[in-house]
Amino acid sequence: MASSGGARGALLFVAGAAAFVASLVVAGNEFPRRVPIHFDLSGDPDQYLARADALVLMSIVALAGGLVFGLLGAGATRIPVRMFNVPERDWWAATPEREAELRRRMRTDMYGFGGVFLLFLAGLTLLTLRASRMADPHLDGWFVALLVGFAVVVVGWVVFLVRVRYRRTD
């Protein structure tokens, strides 16, 4: 089986975590006392939190997401193959070599997606900071760009996984 990037997923996960922590440090130093934490469909804030509460909430969301993907990545070597939702799962489980490759790919992909998620949260944190510093706080086109970009990456990644990455190689 051809190598599919082994450490790339873990590297992306670490980069995402580092980017999120950096965004949190910047936001922690720059947020006003009251932070707009939720916005309506037109981008106007409809909920505020105290700075410390906003930072705690953002940290909890990132920690929860990071833990889910980190644990799935770490557990890919122990999770029963029947729990993997991939095309041709029975084919992948038919030989020890294929199963080992499936597990390696799943580990890489879970770490990688966790990294993308954390990068998205870092961007969201910085856009919240940007909005909070405006005279009339609101989210603008940059939020839409981030959200659409994240959606395109997720959908593209899923299509790649289903159509290419987990297809039979015989």
Side-chain angles (χ1 to χ4, degrees):
M1 304 270 161
S3 172
S4 57
R8 275 189 238 154
L11 200 59
L12 187 53
F13 189 83
V14 170
F20 177 76
V21 168
S23 74
L24 204 62
V25 168
V26 169
N29 289 324
E30 304 276 330
F31 271 155
R33 288 180 5 163
R34 287 186 64 228
V35 179
I37 199 70
H38 190 270
F39 300 82
D40 64 20
L41 290 176
S42 58
D44 296 323
D46 58 8
Q47 185 177 0
Y48 286 81
L49 288 176
R51 179 182 345 174
D53 294 338
L55 294 170
V56 167
L57 178 63
M58 292 173 173
S59 298
I60 288 170
V61 170
L63 186 60
L67 275 174
V68 166
F69 291 109
L71 291 173
L72 286 171
T77 57
R78 294 177 295 284
I79 296 171
V81 171
R82 72 181 184 288
M83 294 182 72
F84 291 177
N85 187 13
V86 296
E88 308 285 350
R89 180 180 51 218
D90 293 339
W91 180 85
W92 284 101
T95 69
E97 295 81 17
R98 284 189 227 153
E99 183 178 325
E101 179 64 13
L102 172 64
R103 291 177 180 285
R104 190 187 64 71
R105 289 181 187 199
M106 288 296 283
R107 182 181 62 242
T108 297
D109 295 337
M110 290 300 101
Y111 284 143
F113 191 78
V116 168
F117 176 73
L118 291 168
L119 286 169
F120 171 72
L121 291 181
L124 199 55
T125 300
L126 294 175
L127 289 177
T128 302
L129 171 61
R130 183 172 180 271
S132 74
R133 298 179 78 194
M134 295 178 177
D136 181 25
H138 67 277
L139 291 177
D140 56 15
W142 286 109
F143 171 73
V144 174
L146 177 67
L147 191 59
V148 168
F150 180 66
V152 165
V153 167
V154 169
V155 170
W157 195 333
V158 169
V159 168
F160 168 74
L161 294 176
V162 170
R163 299 280 202 154
V164 177
R165 184 141 165 93
Y166 291 102
R167 74 179 189 279
R168 293 172 70 141
T169 59
D170 58 355

